[in-house]
Amino acid sequence: MSRDTIVAKRYAKALFEVALQQQQVLEVEQELVAVVSALTGDADIEKFIVSPNISDEVKQNVLHSSLDGKVSEPVLRTVLLLIERGRVELLGDLLNDYRKIQGESLGIADARVYSTYALNDEEKEAVAREFGGRVNKKIRIENIVDPTLLGGLKVAIGDTIYDGSLAGKLERLEQSFNRRVQ
């Protein structure tokens, strides 16, 4: 495990503890998603943030004026602290670690659901219920459209993959035939 990974986990844990005390766990997650998206989604903003030619003080002032009142104090302080310590590149890892800590604490698991088409809300809820029962957690769905599946679904929860796709079934059938032939 790299030093950066360990550091990101420490920041995430500290932020989660503050959010838990303030009863803002879900709000802080949403704010982190928005901040990470804003800082990494625009090439010009990302260049500004990582530029060694711009002082940390200037970066902090710009971000403080941009984010103040739009995100909670703990999120703002965390972003400014990362800039001050030259670790702003950890923001994405911090978000991922925050989500893991939050999930463990609140009994929530994130699932990436691969399908040949975008699932509607009713279908997402059905998948969440089915797999929530399997892992005994509340499931948050991220739907990823993957036309290579041919049909069915593939669900990834943590390190476990549930492959109910037509492509996966055909692959398992082929492997079964190959074992019998040999």
Side-chain angles (χ1 to χ4, degrees):
M1 192 178 292
S2 75
R3 179 161 165 58
D4 285 346
T5 303
I6 294 169
V7 171
K9 283 183 181 179
R10 286 184 183 155
Y11 280 105
K13 185 175 182 192
L15 181 58
F16 178 78
E17 288 173 1
V18 170
L20 191 60
Q21 288 173 351
Q22 296 180 359
Q23 297 179 349
Q24 294 182 320
V25 173
L26 297 175
E27 293 87 349
V28 165
E29 177 203 6
Q30 292 168 348
E31 291 172 1
L32 275 176
V33 168
V35 169
V36 169
S37 176
L39 296 183
T40 60
D42 184 311
D44 291 333
I45 294 173
E46 194 168 5
K47 283 180 191 174
F48 170 78
I49 294 298
V50 298
S51 175
N53 298 330
I54 300 171
S55 73
D56 289 344
E57 186 178 340
V58 170
K59 292 175 192 177
Q60 287 176 318
N61 288 339
V62 168
L63 285 176
H64 189 276
S65 63
S66 299
L67 298 175
D68 192 27
K70 295 180 178 108
V71 297
S72 62
E73 192 65 27
V75 171
L76 180 61
R77 283 186 298 184
T78 300
V79 171
L80 296 177
L81 185 62
L82 288 172
I83 289 172
E84 178 185 318
R85 298 201 174 157
R87 296 197 173 273
V88 74
E89 75 281 355
L90 297 180
L91 201 53
D93 292 334
L94 183 145
L95 171 60
N96 292 335
D97 290 332
Y98 182 91
R99 283 182 156 167
K100 287 177 188 172
I101 293 166
Q102 173 196 40
E104 290 169 10
S105 176
L106 302 178
I108 299 171
D110 289 313
R112 290 179 313 283
V113 178
Y114 300 88
S115 59
T116 57
Y117 63 91
L119 301 177
N120 63 36
D121 289 340
E122 188 176 298
E123 292 167 324
K124 287 179 186 177
E125 287 177 30
V127 171
R129 273 193 311 277
E130 169 68 26
F131 287 93
R134 289 183 187 197
V135 297
N136 201 23
K137 291 186 176 186
K138 183 180 185 315
I139 300 292
R140 273 190 304 211
I141 302 279
E142 175 190 0
N143 185 208
I144 300 166
V145 175
D146 182 357
T148 64
L149 295 179
L150 304 177
L153 297 175
K154 184 165 62 170
V155 179
I157 302 172
D159 295 335
T160 305
I161 296 177
Y162 302 91
D163 192 351
S165 68
L166 185 55
K169 289 176 183 178
L170 289 172
E171 185 178 318
R172 288 189 295 276
L173 182 62
E174 179 183 16
Q175 289 172 354
S176 173
F177 286 147
N178 287 339
R179 279 193 298 265
R180 290 182 184 172
V181 173
Q182 294 175 356

